[in-house]
Amino acid sequence: MEFQQSHLLDTLPKQFFANLVAKVGQKVAAGVDVINLGQGNPDKPTPDYIVQATQKWVADPRTHKYSPFQGLPEFKQAAADFYQEKYGAHFDPEQEVAILGGSKIGLVELPWALMNPGDTYLLPDPGYPDYFSGAALGGVKFETVPLLAENNFLPDLQSIPEEVARRAKFFYLNYPNNPTGAVATKDFYQELVAWAQKYHVGIISDFAYGALGFDGQAPLSFMQTPGAKEVGIEFYTYSKTFNMAGWRIAFAVGNRDIISALNLIQDHLFVSLFPALQKAAIDALRDPRRDAAIAEIVHRYEERRDAFVNAAEKIGWHAFVPAGTFYAWMPVPDGYSSESFADLLLDKAGVAVAPGNGFGEHGEGYVRIGLLISPERLEEAVERIGKLNLFK
């Protein structure tokens, strides 16, 4: 017997990273020592105090039952307390917090919960590729908003056509930004709230890299902005803050109508997270070792950023120096597209990078570098690239 997938699945965008993984896998299988800078998977283990807490809670039989559908009340309280402590933003844990199995779930399911087929939302270009999956699954339309170097990779809100702004229901934004490493400013977020109020557009802040700010500057949360809670929500994931990408733990805070819709759709899709993970997630936020663990992670990425950017400068490869995340957004040399340059580096230098066009039309002309290996290995990657004599 054969079964055909649904027409809905036929509309899904091609999984960008699957193609990259396949190319790298072929090289590795052929015996090439590939330095893989193409993916965004934290390379170090989760802090010990979180692992130990998880082991304790997994062994506790009280955590072996179903969770309450919308998550443990004490986890929602811990999330609200964290935002109050770190960002001075107050949330009602029962009505303004949603527990998620990773922020990707919330970002992709939101159109199902809050939009109708044919509705439109705005997506950043370049941006996280899985935003497009939500549009396909929700049967909704999207318009892209360029993120350009001359505007420090912040959207120019005044350049969004009036007709598009009035048609849009939501606007996804991600700062610190994947793939560019840009950060948002207080002035920009204030302008964004005013713009959202004028056009009645919900703001969806993807704060995945919220802990990863460099040069002594902590990234701003959108929720620190007066009026932000009235116009939108923010997703916060444990994946990058605590090196917990595989654990799939996140939460959202903000506008109670949006949170309510997310909670409702999850009632029908999940029974929240394994209670032991929720208990460990509480400990991750409340343990006195939290800030030291985060500071160590941030220092590691900043050290890698500096090693890569300084090495690249020596071969004439000039970076947009990232102020956050664990990426560097690098221009391709004259005569190459993002894809052809990435293929050249893999074939001739054994270095894998992510071509910028995989993040959108305005990602063309760049490649994304993942700062997820040692400084020495990053410098070796640049040395290999330098031998190709591509930069003047």
Side-chain angles (χ1 to χ4, degrees), residues 32-210:
V32 177
D33 173 28
V34 175
I35 301 178
N36 191 348
L37 309 180
Q39 292 185 277
N41 198 355
D43 61 314
K44 295 296 184 180
T46 302
D48 286 344
Y49 82 91
I50 300 174
V51 174
Q52 291 160 7
T54 306
Q55 291 168 334
K56 177 188 72 174
W57 289 116
V58 168
D60 187 336
R62 293 174 296 176
T63 69
H64 299 177
K65 299 179 182 296
Y66 288 125
S67 166
F69 273 84
Q70 296 182 7
L72 297 176
E74 55 265 42
F75 185 12
K76 290 187 280 188
Q77 184 66 61
D81 291 345
F82 175 74
Y83 257 75
Q84 182 70 58
E85 175 194 348
K86 297 294 283 186
Y87 306 114
H90 175 75
F91 299 100
D92 179 333
E94 286 305 311
Q95 299 190 67
E96 296 174 339
V97 179
I99 303 304
L100 304 162
S103 57
K104 175 178 173 177
I105 282 176
L107 291 160
V108 172
E109 74 189 0
L110 187 143
W112 295 351
L114 287 144
M115 301 177 72
N116 297 310
D119 285 347
T120 298
Y121 65 174
L122 306 181
L123 299 178
D125 180 1
Y128 179 47
D130 284 337
Y131 295 155
F132 300 105
S133 303
L137 291 170
V140 302
K141 300 176 182 178
F142 64 86
E143 299 275 356
T144 59
V145 179
L147 307 183
L148 305 177
E150 54 263 35
N151 202 39
N152 293 317
F153 297 108
L154 293 168
D156 179 358
L157 300 177
Q158 303 311 311
S159 73
I160 299 173
E162 183 88 6
E163 180 273 331
V164 171
R166 295 201 177 279
R167 186 159 39 90
K169 291 195 72 172
F170 294 99
F171 188 2
Y172 278 37
L173 290 167
N174 163 226
Y175 292 99
N177 181 256
N178 173 18
T180 67
V183 297
T185 64
K186 180 180 178 181
D187 287 346
F188 170 73
Y189 275 152
Q190 290 175 340
E191 181 187 5
L192 180 63
V193 168
W195 181 90
Q197 292 170 334
K198 176 180 179 179
Y199 292 107
H200 200 74
V201 177
I203 302 302
I204 310 303
S205 171
D206 177 7
F207 203 36
Y209 301 88

Side-chain angles (χ1 to χ4, degrees), residues 297-314:
I297 290 169
V298 172
H299 173 74
R300 181 183 302 122
Y301 291 135
E302 185 167 357
E303 184 178 44
R304 294 173 179 184
R305 177 202 66 169
D306 293 345
F308 177 83
V309 168
N310 291 337
E313 193 70 26
K314 292 176 182 177

Side-chain angles (χ1 to χ4, degrees), residues 235-308:
F235 291 100
Y236 196 98
T237 176
Y238 282 55
S239 295
K240 281 74 180 182
T241 299
F242 297 109
N243 284 351
M244 294 174 70
W247 299 54
R248 314 312 303 141
I249 303 173
F251 57 85
V253 296
N255 180 280
R256 60 184 58 197
D257 292 337
I258 302 175
I259 293 295
S260 176
L262 289 177
N263 278 328
L264 178 57
I265 193 170
Q266 293 198 133
D267 282 350
H268 293 271
L269 294 173
F270 314 108
V271 190
S272 196
L273 307 180
F274 178 29
L277 289 183
Q278 294 188 62
K279 291 284 192 178
I282 296 168
D283 290 339
L285 294 180
R286 290 185 168 166
D287 193 286
R289 291 168 285 185
R290 180 197 70 194
D291 289 346
I294 294 173
E296 181 180 348
I297 290 169
V298 172
H299 173 74
R300 181 183 302 122
Y301 291 135
E302 185 167 357
E303 184 178 44
R304 294 173 179 184
R305 177 202 66 169
D306 293 345
F308 177 83

